[in-house]
Amino acid sequence: MNIIKKHIFLSSLYLMFALGITTLYAQTPQDTLAIAKKEVNQDDLGNVSDKFQEYFFKALAKRAVEDYTQAITILKECKTLRPNEISVDFELGKNYFSLNNLPEAEKYLTTALAKQPNNIDIEITLYDVFAAQKNYQKAIPLAISLSQKKLSYYEDLANLYSRTEKHEKALEALDRIVDEQGDTYYRKRLRNKLYNEIAPQKLEHYFLHKLEKKASADNYFNITALYLEQNNPEVTTFLQNMKKEFPDSPKTQSLTYAYQLKNNEIPAAVKTITTVVENPKTENELKVKAITYLVSIVKNHPEYKPNLLSILEQQKSLPLEKTTTDFLAENNNVKAIEQYEAILKTKNSDFQTLKALIPLYLKEKKYHEALKLSTEALSFYPTQGIFYTYQSAAYINLKEYTNGIESAELGLNFITANSPLKLSLYQNILEAYKALEQPEKILEIEEKIKHITK
């Protein structure tokens, strides 16, 4: 959940009286008044004057049509009639918030909350005001109170503690919601951010405390990984304990190959990586990480290339990291194309992936695909000459020579200095003119190429 939630509900009307808040929804001012009069009986309002009711419902109607200024004017008349009415303070706070007058919104909402502590609707609105002000210190007590009523606010609380550099408290709040609801991509990112920001000694204390509370594979993994990163001698003891308690855990195996690599035990590490990838309990994230490590091993120890290719063949559906896909591009174009295409399904404008995939299409003579993707790439990056190179090459291979020349010439507009990219564009133009059998143009372009290559 984003720290600044939108609880404005512009199409809604709110009534809050001594015992709580009633929410009224309406499409027009006339509907608002009709519903309000029907919903609120004498017991709700107490012994109030007809004049107060009339003004109050008029204010609600004005808010319904987003006339916040007029709603405030009318509500102040209500306040004259009933100075201590909570509903009036609450409505004034909401209307000032809608006008982005945060100090006034805070004033009236604070007054309303003082009259009715722990009211969740007032707390939520005041919390949003503090969030809009980026007043995290004031927002924290409200987030604490709200988290007791709505579990989702633990995520907000973790975010607030992170912003105020209270990392241990942030991790505790995050643990609370993860224990109840499980992890999400956002929560994992926030946790990693906190791990990177917290002091090493405090992080060690936090991990050890969690392990004392529960000797799980996850808790063993965290403290052992920290010790491994820090070259702490304790890593050996903790890893041995982890192997004893959780021998088949993918996390135990992952730490084992990391430990082996740290000690330059390459054959053993390759064997353990294979075990991690083949373990049916291993999550994709750990498999991808293990394969990425194996790619780095193969760069310095090519004798393990068959091991890597065998694993990649078995894990065809696995979404790989770019370093692995780049390795495939050097060894298996078809597999690399599949992987790059998978990346683009979730990141359709990723520059590096587009830059890597289009030339593979050209190599594999997939010229229509190359033309389509290079055109899409230019819609994202219209001044990048590399994509004009690919587009013009695709046009030329499809025998659309004039389009190929036009594309290359357009690309030249974005390249001033002589460079390999500029040379490639002129070479594409030369190829097109040769196909069109235009000797004068051929000579002209050849001279330009000579000038670039001097």
Side-chain angles (χ1 to χ4, degrees):
M1 178 186 299
N2 189 288
I3 187 169
I4 301 180
K5 303 179 189 68
K6 301 297 182 185
H7 294 292
I8 311 234
F9 303 113
L10 295 179
S11 64
S12 307
L13 298 174
Y14 297 88
L15 283 175
M16 185 194 75
F17 297 99
L19 298 177
I21 296 177
T22 303
T23 305
L24 307 174
Y25 296 89
Q27 300 298 320
T28 66
Q30 290 78 11
D31 292 338
T32 299
L33 291 170
I35 294 172
K37 288 176 180 176
K38 182 179 179 181
E39 289 287 326
V40 183
N41 55 32
Q42 188 68 18
D43 291 334
D44 289 323
L45 290 171
N47 295 317
V48 298
S49 66
D50 292 339
K51 191 173 185 181
F52 174 86
Q53 291 187 50
E54 180 184 349
Y55 282 174
F56 190 80
F57 290 129
K58 279 183 180 179
L60 296 180
K62 291 297 180 181
R63 178 168 176 77
V65 294
E66 302 179 22
D67 189 350
Y68 308 120
T69 303
Q70 189 61 31
I72 287 169
T73 300
I74 298 170
L75 285 165
K76 286 185 176 179
E77 291 290 336
C78 292
K79 196 161 181 65
T80 301
L81 294 169
R82 294 197 61 174
N84 296 318
E85 182 62 59
I86 299 170
S87 58
V88 175
D89 290 319
F90 184 42
E91 287 297 322
L92 280 166
K94 287 193 297 177
N95 281 285
Y96 275 119
F97 189 25
S98 296
L99 290 173
N100 202 35
N101 188 334
L102 302 181
E104 288 297 299
E106 178 185 350
K107 182 179 80 172
Y108 283 106
L109 290 169
T110 302
T111 300
L113 191 61
K115 293 174 182 175
Q116 195 172 80
N118 294 318
N119 182 293
I120 187 171
D121 295 290
I122 304 175
E123 285 184 328
I124 287 173
T125 310
L126 184 55
Y127 173 80
D128 289 344
V129 170
F130 290 147
Q133 293 173 331
K134 297 185 179 180
N135 192 331
Y136 306 130
Q137 295 294 350
K138 285 187 175 181
I140 286 173
L142 281 171
I144 292 172
S145 177
L146 286 166
S147 67
Q148 305 304 308
K149 305 175 182 79
K150 296 181 71 174
L151 191 67
S152 59
Y153 276 91
Y154 274 107
E155 191 169 277
D156 288 64
L157 188 56
N159 201 339
L160 289 166
Y161 280 138
S162 171
R163 289 173 181 269
T164 53
E165 300 184 358
K166 297 175 182 176
H167 301 107
E168 288 178 284
K169 287 188 175 182
L171 287 167
E172 289 171 6
L174 199 56
D175 285 341
R176 178 64 186 272
I177 193 168
V178 169
D179 288 345
E180 294 289 336
Q181 295 183 348
D183 242 338
T184 63
Y185 176 71
Y186 170 78
R187 290 167 193 167
K188 287 179 181 178
R189 283 191 64 187
L190 179 57
R191 184 180 299 280
N192 288 334
K193 176 177 178 289
L194 290 166
Y195 286 168
N196 289 328
E197 291 177 352
I198 192 171
Q201 297 86 349
K202 289 185 177 180
L203 186 59
E204 179 184 4
H205 177 268
Y206 167 75
F207 284 153
L208 288 171
H209 179 66
K210 288 199 71 177
L211 185 61
E212 287 172 7
K213 288 176 64 178
K214 184 179 180 182
S216 66
D218 284 346
N219 291 338
Y220 258 114
F221 178 87
N222 288 332
I223 186 62
T224 309
L226 178 66
Y227 285 152
L228 182 63
E229 183 183 348
Q230 294 175 339
N231 293 316
N232 190 318
E234 289 289 331
V235 66
T236 304
T237 302
F238 276 84
L239 184 55
Q240 286 174 348
N241 291 339
M242 196 173 178
K243 286 179 180 179
K244 182 180 177 181
E245 297 292 331
F246 309 98
D248 299 322
S249 167
K251 292 198 169 183
T252 302
Q253 295 163 354
S254 296
L255 281 176
T256 300
Y257 78 69
Y259 180 84
Q260 290 164 338
L261 286 174
K262 198 98 170 179
N263 291 283
N264 205 33
E265 301 170 10
I266 304 301
V270 172
K271 185 177 179 181
T272 308
I273 286 172
T274 304
T275 303
V276 171
V277 176
E278 292 178 349
N279 188 338
K281 298 178 183 177
T282 307
E283 297 177 356
N284 282 351
E285 185 178 350
L286 287 178
K287 285 185 180 182
V288 170
K289 190 172 184 179
I291 292 171
T292 303
Y293 269 104
L294 187 52
V295 170
S296 65
I297 291 171
V298 168
K299 287 179 181 178
N300 295 317
H301 300 275
E303 65 268 25
Y304 295 109
K305 182 176 175 180
N307 302 67
L308 176 56
L309 291 174
S310 174
I311 286 174
L312 291 173
E313 183 61 29
Q314 295 169 21
Q315 303 293 326
K316 288 183 177 180
S317 61
L318 198 64
L320 303 174
E321 289 186 0
K322 188 175 181 299
T323 51
T324 306
T325 311
D326 289 344
F327 168 83
L328 282 172
E330 299 171 4
N331 298 274
N332 187 330
N333 285 347
V334 175
K335 179 66 177 175
I337 285 172
E338 290 175 2
Q339 289 296 326
Y340 284 131
E341 287 176 338
I343 293 172
L344 287 181
K345 285 181 180 178
T346 55
K347 300 177 181 178
N348 68 328
S349 63
D350 185 75
F351 180 84
Q352 295 299 333
T353 304
L354 291 166
K355 187 180 174 184
L357 178 55
I358 301 169
L360 287 179
Y361 280 149
L362 292 170
K363 285 180 184 178
E364 293 298 308
K365 298 183 179 180
K366 295 177 174 285
Y367 302 127
H368 288 286
E369 289 88 341
L371 178 59
K372 181 175 182 293
L373 193 57
S374 58
T375 302
E376 289 178 6
L378 284 169
S379 71
F380 297 120
Y381 308 103
T383 63
Q384 288 294 326
I386 187 70
F387 295 126
Y388 290 101
T389 305
Y390 298 151
Q391 186 188 57
S392 60
Y395 273 129
I396 290 165
N397 281 289
L398 290 169
K399 298 183 179 181
E400 296 183 32
Y401 302 117
T402 303
N403 285 336
I405 292 168
E406 289 178 358
S407 173
E409 288 177 340
L410 186 56
L412 287 169
N413 292 327
F414 302 107
I415 304 169
T416 54
N418 291 336
S419 65
L421 186 56
K422 191 172 188 178
L423 178 61
S424 295
L425 287 166
Y426 274 121
Q427 286 173 335
N428 286 352
I429 295 171
L430 179 62
E431 185 180 348
Y433 279 133
K434 285 181 177 179
L436 293 170
E437 299 181 353
Q438 295 188 20
E440 290 184 5
K441 288 290 186 180
I442 292 170
L443 289 172
E444 178 187 333
I445 299 303
E446 284 178 338
E447 283 299 315
K448 290 183 178 181
I449 290 174
K450 286 178 184 178
H451 179 71
I452 294 171
T453 54
K454 277 184 181 180

